[in-house]
Amino acid sequence: MKRNYWRGKEKHGWSNRKHSYHPRRYRRPSHNNHAESRLEQEEPQTPVNAGPSSSGNPSSSSLTQNSVVPELPGFYYDSEKNRYFRLLPGHNNYNPLTKESIQYKAMECKRLRLLEEEEKQKKKTTRAGLNSSMLLQKRQLGLLSSTNYCRLVHELKVNCMQRRKIEIHSPDSSVAGTNNFKIIVADVACERIFTVNDVEHGGCKYGIINLSGLGKESLTVEMYDNLYFTNRKVNSVCWASLTHPDSHVLLCLMGIAETPGCASLLPASLFSSTNPGDRPGMLCSFKISTAWSCAWCLNPQADNCFSTGLTRRVLVTNVVTGHRQTFGTSSDVLAQQFATQTPMLYNGCRSGEIFSIDVRQRNRKGQSWKAIRFFHDSAVTSIRLLEDEHYLMAADMAGKIKLWDLRTAKCVKEYKGHHNEYAILPLHVNEEEGLLTAVGQDCYTRIWSLQDAHLLRTIPSPHPSSKDAIPSVVFSSRLGGSQGVPGLLMAVKQDLYHFSYN
């Protein structure tokens, strides 16, 4: 009887302890208190995958520090507090603890830490032993060519760039600085940038910024807006050279509801004329299905032509004659670029396919008009031809950036560190400086060496990361023209920043 009695007491006591093991029930927080519950472990018999013990055992703490903390469904582990917290459902309007908020908090802490390090100028060289005196000595001894010397100097300068905010002036002072930057695109000479801004009450607004003021100590630029805005989203924009270099701007607008998309060619003088009566109108504008990309052709064999990447087709248009040629595709065309040495158009698709088209040929049924074909594993968001046009750089929605040899259709190099999941983000190739620049969906700007794919620098955004705050950048060693200043231009939210060489 006694043995059975004590067995019953032991069973009953274990039942109580097992009941007290479960986390406390959620209670509605009052004021600013967070609803958190701790996952406690009171029995040494608790399995290892239940998390670290709170009994003070040193072996358990070393296990937490030296190994991966196991994940528990419905909980997350805080490494600073060394404890688990319950993940709460996101409803009832009281800002509960969710996985998204935890990830955002961690990303924001990392961004603020990197910004603080930049302000303190805690910078390391991009490569071990690389410094200006060593480069100069090798150059004088003939161990470095002028091209390699220039490239390595730019690597050193990029690592020491400092952020300065630019003051934007506009003839209409009530409008300046009130709209968020969405896209900035520099012309060939980097004297001007075309801007697309989101308007507060919906739609987009266009403008041109003159960069001649960047050379002065007080960084100021002049911004000229157009007199109208569109209520549709701008998917793609590029400079067009019709009457002279960069004389026009080509825009692709997305359709909304029953309104189709359109492609518009605007004179650049529309934004610089002081007399509104002298402002020229659109050169051409026509309705199309959803346009994802556009490109202007600079090859004399396809003069005055531009292309628009549509839903499952490519449309090549001659501005002067109005002649159009359509090429059917099996997927949406998200990226385009014309070659300059040959009349070839390169296209990147949502399916991951990259192919080229000879625009001189006519599209006939039963004929294969794709000259070069190769594939990414995800949707291609940007393509850039190198100057010799033997290599093509491509980025996709899996965060992969690859350099392809067009002669063999093989990937010869990959640039790691880029972050993208679903956004259409551009690549910026500067061959003279030997640099590749890209902004990720995490709002970090990364700069690689073109030659060996080495990641030179990661620049955090001055603003908190969000979907509507992805920076748009332009890099050049001649911002503002041939006598301009080198550096990176970054537009984010309502602000414009210049990362200048020291």
Side-chain angles (χ1 to χ4, degrees), residues 234-239 249-253 262-264 288 291-297 306-310 315 333-338 345-347 384:
V234 177
N235 275 354
S236 181
V237 58
C238 70
W239 286 89
V249 178
L250 179 62
L251 288 169
C252 287
L253 306 181
C262 71
S264 301
I288 51 178
W292 300 102
S293 57
C294 63
W296 181 264
C297 183
F306 68 89
S307 174
T308 47
L310 312 179
L315 184 62
V333 181
L334 304 183
Q336 291 183 311
Q337 187 180 2
F338 278 97
L345 172 63
Y346 292 87
N347 305 269
R384 287 292 179 269

Side-chain angles (χ1 to χ4, degrees), residues 192 208 247 267-273 279-280:
R192 302 167 298 170
I208 285 182
S247 60
S269 57
L270 177 69
F271 305 92
S272 58
S273 177
R279 291 179 182 265

Side-chain angles (χ1 to χ4, degrees), residues 46 80 91 244 304-305 376 444 456 467 479:
T46 305
E80 295 181 356
H91 54 74
H244 57 272
N304 299 326
C305 287
H376 273 232
Y444 283 86
L456 302 176
K467 296 179 181 179
L479 288 174

Side-chain angles (χ1 to χ4, degrees), residues 166 185-193 209-216 219-222 433 474-489 496 498:
I166 298 175
V185 182
D187 60 6
V188 175
C190 288
E191 296 176 347
R192 302 167 298 170
I193 59 172
I209 293 181
N210 188 354
L211 300 179
S212 59
L214 286 181
K216 303 176 182 178
L219 295 177
T220 58
V221 293
E222 296 291 335
E433 297 84 5
V474 168
F475 181 87
S476 175
S477 56
R478 295 179 299 273
L479 288 174
S482 58
Q483 302 298 325
V485 295
L488 177 76
L489 203 64
L496 193 63
H498 180 224

Side-chain angles (χ1 to χ4, degrees), residues 335-339 344-348 353-356 372 374 376 380 382-395 401-407 409-413 415 427 429 431 436 450:
Q336 291 183 311
Q337 187 180 2
F338 278 97
M344 303 294 293
L345 172 63
Y346 292 87
N347 305 269
E353 180 185 12
I354 299 175
F355 63 89
S356 63
I372 299 176
F374 47 90
H376 273 232
V380 177
S382 181
I383 56 176
R384 287 292 179 269
L385 276 169
L386 270 59
E387 289 180 358
D388 59 6
E389 298 186 358
H390 292 156
Y391 296 92
L392 180 141
M393 193 86 64
I401 301 178
K402 297 181 180 181
L403 181 65
W404 293 86
D405 190 333
L406 297 177
R407 296 163 293 186
K410 292 184 179 180
C411 176
V412 296
K413 205 167 292 183
Y415 300 79
L427 292 175
V429 178
E431 284 194 69
L436 167 68
L450 269 179

